Structure formats: structure tokens, C-alpha cells
Amino acid sequence: MMKKKVVDHRINWPVTILLIIGCVTIFFPLYMAVIIAFKQPSEMTNDIAGALSLPSAFSFSNFTEAMRVTDFWHSLGNSLMLTIITVILTMLIHSLAGYAIGRSMARSKAYNFVYLYLVSGMFVPFAILMMPLIKQTAQMGIANRAGVVILYVVFYIPMNLLLYTGYLKNIPLALEEAARVDGSTTWHTFWRIIFPIMKPMHATVAVLTALAVWNDVMTPLVIMSGTGLNTLPLAQLNFQTQFGTNYNLAFASYLLALLPILIFYIFCQKQILNGVVNGAVK
Amino acid sequence: MKKKHAMGNREKTFLAITIPIVLLFFCFNTLPLIKGFIYSFTNFKGYGNYDFVGLRNYVDLFSDGRVGRSYLFTFKFALVSTILVNVLSLILALGLNSKIKAKSALRAVYFLPNILGGLVVGYIFSFFFTYILPAAGKAAGIEWLSSSMLSNTKTAWLAIVVVACWQSVAMNTIIYIAGLQTVPEDVYEAGAIDGASGWRKFKNLTFPLIMPFFTINMVLCMKNFLMVFDQIMALTKGGPSQSTESISYLIYQNGMGGGQFGFQSANAVLFFVVIVAISVFQMTVLNKKEEQL
């Protein structure tokens, strides 16, 4: 038994080395993107060396040009706005929904039905909603950023309801009972006691929702196409023709589109990973 | 008496929260679903007048070669990708969960692809498949690699599999790691006493214990891959010669721009039924397996 414990603590070097080598598959595409983004078209030759060797000078001219062509700051602003507003709304609305439905499910068949109804929305593919939604949002005058936010809030109900009601099961009812005895209304009890306790789940919901909204192409593509506004991914799609065969410009633009989330990930990777794991285990 | 009043307040608050949310969900999820269902019985082009045509769209779906090919491609793609992703991410999770150096840094690196947007990643890989890989193929003298995989009807779908897997492995690995951490250490110690090691340890001890996580991964993976869109948009736009048209892409392409609003609505309804059927099937089969273990 003693001997086994010693073996257990030894570092597994072959696996470590294999995993480090494997990182190449992750970094290679990113390395390629960075290298090409810094080069000039004249430096691109038709062999591997031409594409993958270091640029002769690290100039930011491609990046400034890409920012101008794709109207970077406006796209970034739109992406940030959509993501932040959606995340705040989902945390507020979905946690409330999780509370009301989660607490009532045990004793009410109707709430059980509501729960199943909302969660089963997870299996509705966007493809079937897409065309009617384009018409509907246009008729309602919300074929714009507000409409996109409303749709996100609706689309993430199934997933987030599942997460919040799951988390709520671990919060003892006694807490609310005590508050009620003290004369607090249910509404106040939620905001003062339950909402703060659900903090770990808020983090998970925020991370999952933010990643999904930030990277989503389809919803803004079909809903906002009439407004002339872009999100960061949408700008890459809409400016493909402007990039033409100037891959250096295109890659500078792609990198700019990836940069905000990369920076966010570098600083918050621990929270992001924890959030995702929490969501997966629930 | 006082208690009853308080319960009333609770009930009322819950109702006041639930009703608007259900209405919102109905308005932007169920209502469009119903509308899509109704459109599927019409010859609506997306504009102008339309007539009800009964079940003709559904009958036509089954004789339309392009629709058939998109289902074949989507299933082939989803099946191969799901298997590949689950095998790779299980191996990766076992590695990342073993006693290694720089564990959290390595985990962070392997999760990176998941946070990047599918469209931009697709564009970056598109360059790789169009220029870098053929150049490498030529240099190594490999015939089938010396021209772009994306322009060959036989290989284009494989390129999409590669890109989709590159991104999806990250998420599944994290889920498997979470699963592996739920396995208590003493299970392995007991196993070691019985002489279980290597493959046998994995097959008889580890895998049965993380079976619920395998279920989640299989269902989520399959569902996401069946709905593949971004990668197609970035890499092939359905080409060459429609060989990589996924169902979502075809519905978007022909429903929006191709004047087939009604017909593609029928396609979307069929797609919805297929996704629900597959998810339910997977869950019942895998749950049965879980119970047996």
C-alpha cells in the first residue's frame, strides 16, 4: 500500500510530453493566422515557406486597413452590446423563471408541464423557426438589434431553465421560510436571498450564454440583415468580397475578430472552464 | 389564516413570473414553429400570394435529389464526426486527467478552440486546405493531397469533419474530465488489487462509471453536428457541386433566396422530426445501457 502511494504521485512524463506535442494541432492554425496577418501580399509565395515563414517586418498596416474596411469598431460595439445585454437579461429573467417553476414543480402538475414545454424547446432547430421569425420580426418592427436580443433570451430559456432549476434543488427551502416568517414577500425574498445564493450558476449561465451569443452568426445574419449593421463574425462574412484574394488583409480581420474573446479567455480561463464544467455536470 | 395569505402571495408571484415567460416563449418559439408547419403545406415563395397544396411538398421532399443528398451528407458528416470527436476527447480527457505536469495550462490550451467562432475558424482552415496542405502534399509527393481537398467532391466533406472536430473536441474533453473526476480513487485501488490495468481497467471500471457523461456527449454532439451551418458557410458554401450541402444550409439557401419558402418549410419540419427522433432514440438506448451497468 505504501509503495502504491509513491507510484501515484509520480508525474507521468510520456503522457505530459505527448500532450505538449499535441498542442501543435491547437496552435498551428493560430500561428498561421498571425503570420499571414502580418505579411504583405508580395511576401506570399506558392510554397509552404512562403506562407509560414516569419514576415520580413511586423507591420500593423494590415490591421489598420482591415479595421477601416470592415468598420471594426462599430461591429465590435454591436457584438459587445448584444452580448452584454443578453447576458444580463438571461441572468435576471431565467433565474426568476427557474425559481418560480423550480419551486412549484413538486406540487403542481401544471408547472411540471410548463417545465417540460420550455425545456423541450432545446430540440427545435433554428432552421425551422428561421423563416417564420424573419417575417414575424419584420411585421413587429423588431428586425433589428432589439429583436436579436429578444430571440436570444427566448432561445436560451430551455438550457438555462434546466441549469437554474437543477441548482435550486440544492438550496434548502428553510431559507425562504425564515424570510417569509420575517414578513418578506416572495419577490423580495428572491432578490435578497435566492438570487445572491445562485451566484455560481449565474457565472455558468453568463459564460455559456456569452460564448454562444458572441460567436453566433445565424441569428444576426437573418434578422438584422436589413439594418446594415454587423456583428464581428457577421462582418467577416459580409466583407468576404472586399477582401478578394488579399489573404493578408482577410487574416488581419479574422484575428481582430478573435482577439476580444482570446483576451477575455486569457484573463478568465479559470472561471470560463469552471462555468462550462458546472453546466455540463448539471 | 395568516399562513394561507402568505402562500397566496407566493402563488401569485410565481404565476406573475411564469405567465409572461411562457407567453414570450410561445410568441418567439412555438408560434413560429406552428407557422412553419402551416407554410409547409403551401407553395409560398417567400413573397407574393400563395395557395395551399396539401401534402405535395412532403411528397416532393422524398423525390427531390438535392434534399436526399443533403440528408445523406449531413448524416454521414454527423456520424463520422460524433464518433471521431468522442474517441479523441476520451483519449484526451484520460491524458489530461492523469498525473501530468502543467495540468491546468494544458487544459486551458486544449479548451481554446471551443471559445473561437466557427465561422472565423472555418475561414482560417479554408486557407489551410486551399494553399498549405496542397503545398505540403506536393512537397511530400502525395497525389491526393496535392490539390485542394475543398475542391474535390470526394474529400471536401472530410475537410469539414476536420474543422468541426478541431472545435468540438474541446467541449467534449471538458465534459469527460468532469466525468472522470467523479470516479472515486478507491475504485481504482480496488481494481488494482484485482489486477485490472490498462485497457481492461478502462473498459470495466472507468467507462461504465462515466457512462452518463458519454450519453450527454453523444446526444449533444449528434444534435450539434446535424445542425452544422457555420463551417459549411465558411469552407465550401455547399460545394463542390452541392456535395457538402447540409440540411440547415439548404433550408437557409433555398428557403431564403431560392423562392422555396414553402417547400423548405416542409424540409425544416421533417428535419425537426428527425432530430427529435434521433435524440429520443439515443437517450433511450444509452439510458438502457446505463441501467444495465
Side-chain angles (χ1 to χ4, degrees):
Chain A
M1 203 62 206
M2 199 57 214
K3 200 178 154 206
K4 227 188 119 272
K5 275 268 139 66
V6 176
V7 174
D8 272 350
H9 285 280
R10 207 180 285 163
I11 282 166
N12 193 338
W13 281 108
V15 171
T16 309
I17 290 163
L18 277 177
L19 284 171
I20 290 172
I21 295 171
C23 286
V24 172
T25 55
I26 309 292
F27 284 126
F28 178 75
L30 298 174
Y31 166 81
M32 189 183 84
V34 173
I35 290 300
I36 293 171
F38 275 105
K39 279 186 181 172
Q40 298 305 316
S42 57
E43 291 178 70
M44 305 284 285
T45 49
N46 266 336
D47 52 1
I48 306 180
L52 295 183
S53 62
L54 291 171
S56 50
F58 279 92
S59 139
F60 284 92
S61 62
N62 288 332
F63 291 93
T64 46
E65 176 67 6
M67 280 186 173
R68 195 186 59 76
V69 170
T70 63
D71 200 7
F72 175 77
W73 294 110
H74 278 115
S75 312
L76 177 70
N78 283 330
S79 275
L80 278 176
M81 196 173 81
L82 289 179
T83 308
I84 291 170
I85 296 178
T86 306
V87 167
I88 293 174
L89 284 178
T90 49
M91 283 198 299
L92 297 178
I93 298 174
H94 296 168
S95 64
L96 259 176
Y99 180 59
I101 296 168
R103 280 297 188 234
S104 313
M105 264 162 62
R107 50 183 175 73
S108 160
K109 271 222 169 83
Y111 277 101
N112 251 314
F113 175 76
V114 166
Y115 176 78
L116 282 179
Y117 167 60
L118 295 177
V119 168
S120 63
M122 211 180 279
F123 293 101
V124 180
F126 183 63
I128 190 170
L129 305 177
M130 182 168 66
M131 293 181 281
L133 274 177
I134 295 166
K135 289 231 163 300
Q136 194 176 324
T137 49
Q139 280 160 2
M140 297 168 86
I142 50 166
N144 49 30
R145 287 172 292 188
V148 173
V149 169
I150 294 175
L151 290 183
Y152 283 143
V153 170
V154 172
F155 291 159
Y156 300 132
I157 285 178
M159 182 68 190
N160 292 343
L161 185 66
L162 203 71
L163 292 172
Y164 276 123
T165 49
Y167 192 75
L168 201 69
K169 282 183 193 138
N170 303 326
I171 301 174
L173 265 169
L175 279 169
E176 295 150 60
E177 304 275 324
R180 208 187 62 213
V181 171
D182 290 343
S184 174
T185 62
T186 309
W187 180 256
H188 280 119
T189 310
F190 174 76
W191 293 113
R192 253 187 255 141
I193 297 172
I194 305 298
F195 191 79
I197 291 183
M198 292 207 275
K199 204 172 147 201
M201 209 21 91
H202 293 319
T204 295
V205 166
V207 165
L208 293 177
T209 310
L211 284 179
V213 172
W214 183 266
N215 289 326
D216 183 41
V217 182
M218 220 162 172
T219 318
L221 171 66
V222 299
I223 302 296
M224 297 186 353
S225 59
T227 60
L229 298 170
N230 281 316
T231 62
L232 272 182
L234 204 54
Q236 313 311 314
L237 182 70
N238 288 340
F239 288 101
Q240 271 306 300
T241 44
Q242 254 98 322
F243 297 145
T245 52
N246 189 342
Y247 286 100
N248 307 91
L249 184 62
F251 271 73
S253 178
Y254 301 156
L255 268 192
L256 285 170
L258 295 181
L259 209 55
I261 194 96
L262 273 175
I263 293 171
F264 184 61
Y265 183 60
I266 289 167
F267 285 107
C268 305
Q269 41 152 300
K270 210 171 180 180
Q271 286 83 344
I272 293 178
L273 276 173
N274 282 344
V276 171
V277 169
N278 260 333
V281 178
K282 280 279 136 48
Chain B
M1 196 59 211
K2 196 169 179 210
K3 189 173 181 208
K4 207 173 173 191
H5 177 76
M7 282 306 285
N9 166 268
R10 200 168 153 87
E11 296 287 297
K12 261 187 240 160
T13 313
F14 285 167
L15 263 179
I17 294 166
T18 309
I19 288 172
I21 287 167
V22 169
L23 282 179
L24 191 73
F25 188 80
F26 179 83
C27 181
F28 290 100
N29 198 304
T30 311
L31 190 64
L33 188 68
I34 295 170
K35 280 187 192 161
F37 193 63
I38 293 171
Y39 281 130
S40 74
F41 296 105
T42 70
N43 60 3
F44 192 35
K45 287 191 181 73
Y47 47 84
N49 298 323
Y50 59 90
D51 296 310
F52 281 89
V53 294
L55 287 169
R56 206 180 69 204
N57 285 332
Y58 289 92
V59 174
D60 289 349
L61 270 182
F62 290 94
S63 54
D64 189 294
R66 197 167 169 188
V67 171
R69 279 194 300 279
S70 80
Y71 274 82
L72 275 182
F73 161 73
T74 309
F75 277 107
K76 183 170 70 175
F77 164 80
L79 204 65
V80 172
S81 303
T82 305
I83 294 169
L84 209 60
V85 163
N86 277 286
V87 170
L88 287 175
S89 49
L90 247 178
I91 295 172
L92 206 53
L94 285 170
L96 287 168
N97 200 45
S98 59
K99 292 179 176 59
I100 52 167
K101 257 244 172 321
K103 194 181 264 187
S104 51
L106 280 169
R107 280 186 189 177
V109 168
Y110 279 107
F111 187 68
L112 184 67
N114 187 63
I115 62 156
L116 306 176
L119 188 78
V120 172
V121 166
Y123 283 137
I124 292 174
F125 270 94
S126 163
F127 182 86
F128 173 75
F129 285 120
T130 317
Y131 296 98
I132 310 280
L133 204 58
K138 264 180 215 150
I142 304 169
E143 179 87 39
W144 66 277
L145 269 183
S146 358
S147 62
S148 169
M149 276 174 89
L150 293 173
S151 57
N152 185 335
T153 48
K154 287 205 177 69
T155 52
W157 73 281
L158 280 172
I160 297 166
V161 168
V162 170
V163 179
C165 289
W166 187 79
Q167 283 209 287
S168 305
V169 164
M171 185 67 182
N172 284 39
T173 305
I174 288 296
I175 297 177
Y176 278 130
I177 290 176
L180 288 171
Q181 283 169 346
T182 62
V183 181
E185 192 67 18
D186 46 339
V187 170
Y188 290 127
E189 279 171 24
I193 292 166
D194 293 341
S197 65
W199 171 245
R200 272 196 50 213
K201 182 173 102 175
F202 174 76
K203 193 177 143 240
N204 296 328
L205 283 174
T206 317
F207 191 69
L209 285 168
I210 60 165
M211 192 70 192
F213 296 86
F214 180 69
T215 311
I216 306 177
N217 272 343
M218 290 300 273
V219 175
L220 286 183
C221 235
M222 195 73 186
K223 198 188 87 183
N224 288 340
F225 284 142
L226 284 174
M227 296 189 199
V228 60
F229 180 82
D230 292 6
Q231 285 88 352
I232 311 277
M233 196 83 175
L235 284 164
T236 62
K237 290 202 182 293
S241 55
Q242 300 168 3
S243 66
T244 60
E245 248 174 5
S246 74
I247 304 167
S248 294
Y249 187 81
L250 181 64
I251 294 171
Y252 167 79
Q253 193 66 18
N254 283 8
M256 308 269 302
Q260 297 187 338
F261 201 109
F263 180 63
Q264 291 303 338
S265 291
N267 192 6
V269 170
L270 180 67
F271 185 41
F272 173 47
V273 173
V274 166
I275 284 196
V276 171
I278 289 176
S279 300
V280 170
F281 172 77
Q282 274 183 320
M283 280 190 280
T284 39
V285 168
L286 292 169
N287 276 338
K288 249 188 209 143
K289 279 218 159 135
E290 265 174 51
E291 275 162 29
Q292 282 168 2
L293 291 164

